[in-house]
Amino acid sequence: MVKREETIAFFVEQAKNDFSLVEKNLAGVISEIKNSNMKKLNYIEEFDAADVLRQVAELKKAKYKGKLFGVPVTVKDAICVKGIESKAGSKILKGYKPLFDANVIERARAEGAIILAKTTQDEFGFGTFATHTEKVPKNPFDNERSCGGSSGGAAGFTAFTKNFHVAIGESTGGSIAAPASFCGIVGITPTYGLVSRYGLIDYANSLDKIGAIGKNAEDAALLLEVIAGYDARDSTSLENGFKKEDATIKRLAVIKDFFEGCDEEVKKVVQKKISELRKFYEVEEVSLPLNVKYALAAYYIIATCEASTNLAKLSGLRYGAQGDVGGKHFDEYFSEIRSREFSDEAKRRIILGTFARMSGYRDAYYLKAMRVRTKLINEFNNAFKRYDLLLNPTMPVVAPKFCEIEELTPLQNFAMDLCTVPANLAGLPHISVNAGFINGLPVGLMAIAPHLQERRLYSFAKVME
Amino acid sequence: MSDETTVMIGLEIHASLNTKSKLFCACATDSTLPNSSCCPICLGHPGSKPVLNEKAVEFATKIGLALNCKINEDFFFSRKTYFYPDMASNYQITQYEIPVAENGFVFLNSGKKVGIKRAHIEWDPAALVHPSGMGKSSYVLIDYNRSGMPLIEIVTQPDLSTPAEAREFMNLLENVLGYLQVLKPDTTLKVDCNISINGGERTEIKNVSGFAAVEKALTFELARQKQEVKRGNKIEQHTRAFNAETGTTVELRKKETEADYGYIFDPDLVKVTLSKEFLTKIKIELPELPEQKAKRLQEQYKLSEYDARVLCSDLVLGKLFDSIVSKSADAITAARLLTREVLAVLNHDSLSLSDVDVKAEDLLELVQLLSSGKVSDKNAKQSVINYISGDKSSPKVFLEKNNLLISATVDLDSIINKVINANRKAVVDYAGGNEKSLNFLAGLVMREAKGTVSPKIVLEELKKKLS
Ligand SMILES: [Zn+2]
């Protein structure tokens, strides 16, 4: 049960009448960021103290006191903040300071948020453990273990801080749910198109969703309500937001296929939690055979095809990493910069994605994956005819040790996303909430709602808590 | 083997659309200072997203309709990925599977039908500037003002059979685009020319600017291919460049197959759906096109097919005709003045109508003088030359100032008497049956009268006097 005094909403209510609470809370977070032990945990990518002080001074004068008044908000590195280095965790974008704020940053600022810092992530979101980057965030429950990825820094810091704070994350195939599960906090990934992608450094545009991470469901929901909304600068932005109809939930279904690859201990924790839920809801089982069989393959083809074109622009020409151009043909120069600055994982995905859209393979891979995606969405929609929400374990394991992750093959690595990828591929809103612990390590339970039924997720998560 | 060579020519024409802002951002399209009109979108900055300019869709739809194409009510944009320094994102946003328009046709003057395969919208890359000339500069500069400009690419079927036909097609196409008023002023159409002979592989001559150049490049390439075949060599598919100075083409590279661009649907953009209302509005707004107008002029004013076609071959010329005849001037006289005299002067001076200040009111006065017999054709011509290339005074003012109008007050009788008295031999010859002497005398009278009397009247008066 979350105490009212622990919520952001409560903090904001108090802070509106007493600015010293804002200053005290902020000083608390900043001292955490500056603490040398915390620094080793690698949650924060970029922190500009002068910029934060400037924001506070402005906030003090502000007439309108918004829904996030005085709340420090951290931002996944892939989301552009004007004038602040935004490099999506990649060396190749070192030094890129966007000329504009992402739409979500504008919206958060308009509601009185303090844009505190950029958080660490897998390079461009390419990963499940936030290990594909220079600054690898460490799990606050056990520093030998991963925070989960790709929004690892966001989830790690949210779990770590003792102060009021929320984090803006981003999910392409599970990058909010996975770290939320490993760090024992709440992550909401909204319906595709509900939150504007304007200002998001793309991984796979047809899958990328900016979402909210908080210590509890109410905090995450509050942040999501602030950042959601139509934006003409993102052509895929939805004009009509949330469904406002009744969010009551009667019938749930557990996606039984998603338990198959799961660690036994994880299964037990999740099943126990679900049996507790029977007090509140009817709970049945459902099978999504097409999603189990094809979602990962379709996801990795579509995501890498799109990513390989997105990353083409990063060639050391006008921003980010630079090299010595002297006397080289442009192909030679581009190759030099890209070979030097992209990680192996980025190169792997560029090669995969480029292959799958080339002549002779395009029909068999890219176009087929696009068609499969439609079938997978239909399978979900059919299930939603009978059930209000679908449930599954967020991750098949608890946060693994870094040495264990090193042992995984790329395929085993991709397979970790089995439970999070289907909802992401279908653009369905989902939440990950803590369901319990195994030897002190958090286990997440994931709930998936129909498109634009985010409010069902909030009410479900409150029952969970 | 027979000497008959079958030639297949297909063209891919790129034209800049006359929208106020670029294709996917709000940057202005009319900036001249380098890099003064660009933003995160057309610079390809990470985090920026394209938003489609609806005006470009409107223009492209009009072009599709004017070329008798099927308009696709639903279409997509795709990414064509290749690395080049002028391409801000290293992919071009273009249309691949479903273009805005496809399967159209136009007719050449000969009545030959030329198929239009498709017309699609895409964005222009930035401009590469070589400060001391291509090949000589040790560096290039990039001007992003052009990056993201809206282009339409029109692709014909390989239905053209001669370089001259290709040129005629280009003229015709430019005229249609001119009528639609969708072309960005002061830009040239850029053409990729594909040519093959006797069913062999085709070569593509990239990026030819100007219609004369298109004809010249194709003529050279046709001769080259014939020569190769004669020598027993096989033509292989490849890309060539045209050198405008030497009039020759040279091999650039072996043609990469199209699918190597790895097209995907652009996931930043959504499917475009043209509403019924939109299409209806565009159809209503579609102006009268050259072919329709030529037919109308023949029916309405009984103009010859030739005159009608010439008048409609240029938007400004056609409009000039419209405004002259709208003042109830004689249409046939007006048509002849424009297609013969005015065009002759312009062609002689290598000018186009838009280069000169020709007013309908001024020409209307001249048409009225001509049709009421108050000016000779010769003097009318002089007045047009002066109007366009001389002191530019209006034809009527010029004719009046130089006493070149046929007036009732001229003393024809005394001029004839004067000429007869001064040329007794010719008078005697005429009396002896030499008809030519009459013409000789008439010419002298005309010269004396400075053309202000009509030749017909002079001849009648002379005959009377001499009989
Ligand atoms: Zn722009």
Side-chain angles (χ1 to χ4, degrees), chain B residues 22 24-27 37-43 147:
Chain B
K22 293 185 181 179
F24 293 110
C25 61
C27 291
S37 186
C38 32
C39 71
I41 297 171
C42 53
L43 287 169
S147 176

Side-chain angles (χ1 to χ4, degrees), chain A residues 80 96 99-100 197 199-200 202 205 232-233 235-236 306 309-310 312-313 315 318-319 330 357-359 362 366, chain B residues 43-47 49-51 79 81 83-85 88-91 97 144 259-260 262-265 267-268 270:
Chain A
C80 290
Y96 173 59
L99 298 167
F100 53 95
R197 292 182 300 108
L200 172 67
D202 310 303
N205 325 45
R233 292 167 302 177
S235 307
T236 60
E306 291 181 9
T309 65
N310 288 324
K313 67 173 67 163
S315 53
R318 279 167 291 117
Y319 43 76
F330 68 84
R357 59 187 168 84
M358 280 295 139
S359 148
R362 192 173 175 269
Y366 173 66
Chain B
L43 287 169
H45 282 191
K49 306 274 177 282
V51 177
R79 288 179 174 182
T81 306
F83 286 83
Y84 209 78
S89 302
N90 284 325
Y91 60 77
E97 273 96 348
Y144 288 92
D260 278 1
Y263 287 92
I264 63 166
F265 301 111
D268 274 334
V270 287

